[in-house]
Amino acid sequence: PHFHFRFRPYIAGKIETPGLPIPQVDTIISEPVGVLLVHERMVGLAFSWRLLCEIGLISDCLTRCQLESYIFARDRYLRPGGAMFPSGGTVYLAPFTDAGLWSETMAKVRFWEQECFYGVDLSPLAREARREIFSMPVIGNFDPRCLMVPEPSSHHGYHIDFTTVTTDELRSFDVPVSWTVNYTGIVHGIAGWFDVLFEPTPCMEADPVLFPRITLSTSPSQERTHWQQVRLLLPEPLAVNAGQHVRGTVRFRANDQRSYTISAGIELVCGGVAAERRGHTWELQDQTYNYATVPFVTDEEYRPEHHCVYPPADSSGGAQDVQQVSLSHPEPLIVDFMDVPERENAASQISYT
């Protein structure tokens, strides 16, 4: 049946305010997410609404609060067995290459290396400027083909279950990363995005047609969204070869700016031993924006070298071609230098046996 819903405001205020006259509710509906899922962790107002429909069904719900407030509302006001929409989120991280973005960021650092800017020596600030500029996450959509690994699936993300997670777990968590790179090239940083999940409650699962499981994604390969994606640039890029393994940990720590301090340590593994290490710290609230994209290229026209990354030769036929050439000359060419005449044009008289 088709229902017509009317929403009537009931109480307006911060959900953490003590003594609010809010009853236990059946459903919490919110938009509790920010950039990279967790930014703006305690921002916004919470409202209690009474949902009325024409058939006379009355259900209370809470809406519009950020993630920690969302969890607070769950613990204080949600009835046992109640529903939360969204019910969870998944963070994805992957290495990316973008020489243009890295060079553009480095150009901002170069300004502070000037020793005579209208008579002022800025160079003493250059080191701190480099640290600060590279600690600013870059917000914006990017071409997913700049990723150095296949786009992670839902099984390879860091999942946060909003129905069970605690506020302490949200304030401090680590995301282990492990990547096998597809291309030879330069890793300029770590890209991130997220999904939010709308999962039916146990009583809804009996009718998967009416109550399907829904995923809304901010992936670079999906339609653009308000949250876009995040790129965390490394001050010192990492050179990798196709097939090599990169592993490490990305740490999220809540800060007093209603956001997170993100630190990462990654290492390139060769023969089971860490050969190169890179690390940096970013402040998720100190965002900069970049909307530059490569000229549109269709999948049929695109080649990895457009992003300055290079696949193994055997993946593009190169190694196979070399093998075919070598097989066409099964016997080695031998030069008999004893038969070379002692003349200026001796090279033209070389005989092969």
mmCIF file of all heavy atoms in Angstrom, residues 333-350:
data_model
loop_
_atom_site.group_PDB
_atom_site.id
_atom_site.type_symbol
_atom_site.label_atom_id
_atom_site.label_comp_id
_atom_site.label_asym_id
_atom_site.label_seq_id
_atom_site.Cartn_x
_atom_site.Cartn_y
_atom_site.Cartn_z
ATOM 1 N N LEU A 333 73.572 -16.645 -32.247
ATOM 2 C CA LEU A 333 74.413 -16.127 -33.320
ATOM 3 C C LEU A 333 75.854 -16.080 -32.836
ATOM 4 O O LEU A 333 76.145 -15.507 -31.794
ATOM 5 C CB LEU A 333 73.948 -14.726 -33.721
ATOM 6 C CG LEU A 333 72.517 -14.627 -34.266
ATOM 7 C CD1 LEU A 333 72.190 -13.176 -34.576
ATOM 8 C CD2 LEU A 333 72.364 -15.486 -35.504
ATOM 9 N N ILE A 334 76.763 -16.691 -33.594
ATOM 10 C CA ILE A 334 78.168 -16.755 -33.197
ATOM 11 C C ILE A 334 78.999 -16.043 -34.250
ATOM 12 O O ILE A 334 78.892 -16.324 -35.448
ATOM 13 C CB ILE A 334 78.649 -18.217 -33.060
ATOM 14 C CG1 ILE A 334 77.779 -18.936 -32.020
ATOM 15 C CG2 ILE A 334 80.123 -18.265 -32.693
ATOM 16 C CD1 ILE A 334 78.087 -20.407 -31.900
ATOM 17 N N VAL A 335 79.811 -15.110 -33.818
ATOM 18 C CA VAL A 335 80.693 -14.383 -34.727
ATOM 19 C C VAL A 335 82.068 -15.040 -34.693
ATOM 20 O O VAL A 335 82.667 -15.194 -33.630
ATOM 21 C CB VAL A 335 80.808 -12.902 -34.320
ATOM 22 C CG1 VAL A 335 81.757 -12.169 -35.262
ATOM 23 C CG2 VAL A 335 79.436 -12.253 -34.311
ATOM 24 N N ASP A 336 82.556 -15.460 -35.866
ATOM 25 C CA ASP A 336 83.890 -16.056 -35.969
ATOM 26 C C ASP A 336 84.878 -14.945 -36.295
ATOM 27 O O ASP A 336 85.034 -14.537 -37.444
ATOM 28 C CB ASP A 336 83.903 -17.126 -37.064
ATOM 29 C CG ASP A 336 85.222 -17.887 -37.083
ATOM 30 O OD1 ASP A 336 86.162 -17.448 -36.384
ATOM 31 O OD2 ASP A 336 85.290 -18.897 -37.798
ATOM 32 N N PHE A 337 85.522 -14.397 -35.248
ATOM 33 C CA PHE A 337 86.409 -13.265 -35.451
ATOM 34 C C PHE A 337 87.672 -13.651 -36.216
ATOM 35 O O PHE A 337 88.382 -12.797 -36.723
ATOM 36 C CB PHE A 337 86.795 -12.655 -34.091
ATOM 37 C CG PHE A 337 85.650 -11.939 -33.420
ATOM 38 C CD1 PHE A 337 84.924 -12.562 -32.424
ATOM 39 C CD2 PHE A 337 85.301 -10.662 -33.809
ATOM 40 C CE1 PHE A 337 83.869 -11.911 -31.820
ATOM 41 C CE2 PHE A 337 84.254 -10.013 -33.203
ATOM 42 C CZ PHE A 337 83.526 -10.629 -32.198
ATOM 43 N N MET A 338 87.974 -14.956 -36.341
ATOM 44 C CA MET A 338 89.157 -15.374 -37.090
ATOM 45 C C MET A 338 88.986 -15.118 -38.574
ATOM 46 O O MET A 338 89.967 -15.030 -39.315
ATOM 47 C CB MET A 338 89.426 -16.865 -36.854
ATOM 48 C CG MET A 338 89.704 -17.213 -35.399
ATOM 49 S SD MET A 338 91.151 -16.342 -34.761
ATOM 50 C CE MET A 338 92.445 -17.081 -35.767
ATOM 51 N N ASP A 339 87.717 -15.003 -39.038
ATOM 52 C CA ASP A 339 87.461 -14.799 -40.455
ATOM 53 C C ASP A 339 87.241 -13.342 -40.813
ATOM 54 O O ASP A 339 86.909 -13.031 -41.945
ATOM 55 C CB ASP A 339 86.227 -15.597 -40.895
ATOM 56 C CG ASP A 339 86.494 -17.091 -40.831
ATOM 57 O OD1 ASP A 339 87.674 -17.461 -40.856
ATOM 58 O OD2 ASP A 339 85.511 -17.853 -40.740
ATOM 59 N N VAL A 340 87.397 -12.420 -39.852
ATOM 60 C CA VAL A 340 87.145 -11.010 -40.142
ATOM 61 C C VAL A 340 88.337 -10.431 -40.880
ATOM 62 O O VAL A 340 89.451 -10.428 -40.371
ATOM 63 C CB VAL A 340 86.910 -10.225 -38.847
ATOM 64 C CG1 VAL A 340 86.726 -8.742 -39.156
ATOM 65 C CG2 VAL A 340 85.701 -10.781 -38.112
ATOM 66 N N PRO A 341 88.165 -9.937 -42.129
ATOM 67 C CA PRO A 341 89.276 -9.337 -42.873
ATOM 68 C C PRO A 341 89.751 -8.066 -42.193
ATOM 69 O O PRO A 341 88.976 -7.352 -41.561
ATOM 70 C CB PRO A 341 88.660 -9.033 -44.247
ATOM 71 C CG PRO A 341 87.425 -9.874 -44.320
ATOM 72 C CD PRO A 341 86.931 -10.001 -42.925
ATOM 73 N N GLU A 342 91.044 -7.788 -42.319
ATOM 74 C CA GLU A 342 91.611 -6.596 -41.713
ATOM 75 C C GLU A 342 91.465 -5.423 -42.673
ATOM 76 O O GLU A 342 92.413 -4.956 -43.283
ATOM 77 C CB GLU A 342 93.081 -6.831 -41.369
ATOM 78 C CG GLU A 342 93.266 -7.893 -40.296
ATOM 79 C CD GLU A 342 94.729 -8.065 -39.936
ATOM 80 O OE1 GLU A 342 95.571 -7.349 -40.522
ATOM 81 O OE2 GLU A 342 95.024 -8.896 -39.074
ATOM 82 N N ARG A 343 90.252 -4.951 -42.869
ATOM 83 C CA ARG A 343 89.985 -3.801 -43.713
ATOM 84 C C ARG A 343 89.072 -2.850 -42.952
ATOM 85 O O ARG A 343 88.430 -3.224 -41.969
ATOM 86 C CB ARG A 343 89.297 -4.225 -45.026
ATOM 87 C CG ARG A 343 90.175 -5.122 -45.896
ATOM 88 C CD ARG A 343 89.650 -5.108 -47.333
ATOM 89 N NE ARG A 343 88.259 -5.535 -47.408
ATOM 90 C CZ ARG A 343 87.906 -6.811 -47.601
ATOM 91 N NH1 ARG A 343 88.824 -7.744 -47.719
ATOM 92 N NH2 ARG A 343 86.630 -7.127 -47.673
ATOM 93 N N GLU A 344 88.995 -1.615 -43.416
ATOM 94 C CA GLU A 344 88.177 -0.618 -42.731
ATOM 95 C C GLU A 344 86.705 -1.005 -42.738
ATOM 96 O O GLU A 344 85.968 -0.693 -41.816
ATOM 97 C CB GLU A 344 88.336 0.751 -43.403
ATOM 98 C CG GLU A 344 89.709 1.347 -43.195
ATOM 99 C CD GLU A 344 89.807 2.712 -43.823
ATOM 100 O OE1 GLU A 344 88.813 3.137 -44.462
ATOM 101 O OE2 GLU A 344 90.846 3.352 -43.661
ATOM 102 N N ASN A 345 86.279 -1.708 -43.804
ATOM 103 C CA ASN A 345 84.881 -2.115 -43.876
ATOM 104 C C ASN A 345 84.712 -3.551 -43.403
ATOM 105 O O ASN A 345 83.894 -4.289 -43.894
ATOM 106 C CB ASN A 345 84.342 -1.957 -45.291
ATOM 107 C CG ASN A 345 85.098 -2.828 -46.280
ATOM 108 O OD1 ASN A 345 86.178 -3.313 -45.966
ATOM 109 N ND2 ASN A 345 84.519 -3.002 -47.473
ATOM 110 N N ALA A 346 85.546 -3.923 -42.427
ATOM 111 C CA ALA A 346 85.506 -5.298 -41.950
ATOM 112 C C ALA A 346 84.129 -5.670 -41.413
ATOM 113 O O ALA A 346 83.716 -6.819 -41.513
ATOM 114 C CB ALA A 346 86.554 -5.495 -40.856
ATOM 115 N N ALA A 347 83.426 -4.679 -40.862
ATOM 116 C CA ALA A 347 82.122 -4.987 -40.274
ATOM 117 C C ALA A 347 81.173 -5.568 -41.299
ATOM 118 O O ALA A 347 80.346 -6.414 -40.988
ATOM 119 C CB ALA A 347 81.518 -3.723 -39.659
ATOM 120 N N SER A 348 81.309 -5.135 -42.557
ATOM 121 C CA SER A 348 80.410 -5.647 -43.590
ATOM 122 C C SER A 348 80.800 -7.023 -44.058
ATOM 123 O O SER A 348 80.069 -7.653 -44.810
ATOM 124 C CB SER A 348 80.380 -4.687 -44.780
ATOM 125 O OG SER A 348 81.670 -4.619 -45.370
ATOM 126 N N GLN A 349 82.000 -7.514 -43.643
ATOM 127 C CA GLN A 349 82.482 -8.808 -44.091
ATOM 128 C C GLN A 349 82.362 -9.886 -43.020
ATOM 129 O O GLN A 349 82.880 -10.977 -43.183
ATOM 130 C CB GLN A 349 83.958 -8.679 -44.504
ATOM 131 C CG GLN A 349 84.207 -7.660 -45.594
ATOM 132 C CD GLN A 349 83.526 -8.057 -46.884
ATOM 133 O OE1 GLN A 349 83.466 -9.243 -47.221
ATOM 134 N NE2 GLN A 349 83.005 -7.071 -47.615
ATOM 135 N N ILE A 350 81.714 -9.556 -41.892
ATOM 136 C CA ILE A 350 81.595 -10.538 -40.814
ATOM 137 C C ILE A 350 80.776 -11.718 -41.296
ATOM 138 O O ILE A 350 79.728 -11.561 -41.908
ATOM 139 C CB ILE A 350 80.939 -9.902 -39.574
ATOM 140 C CG1 ILE A 350 81.866 -8.828 -38.988
ATOM 141 C CG2 ILE A 350 80.630 -10.957 -38.520
ATOM 142 C CD1 ILE A 350 81.276 -8.101 -37.813
#
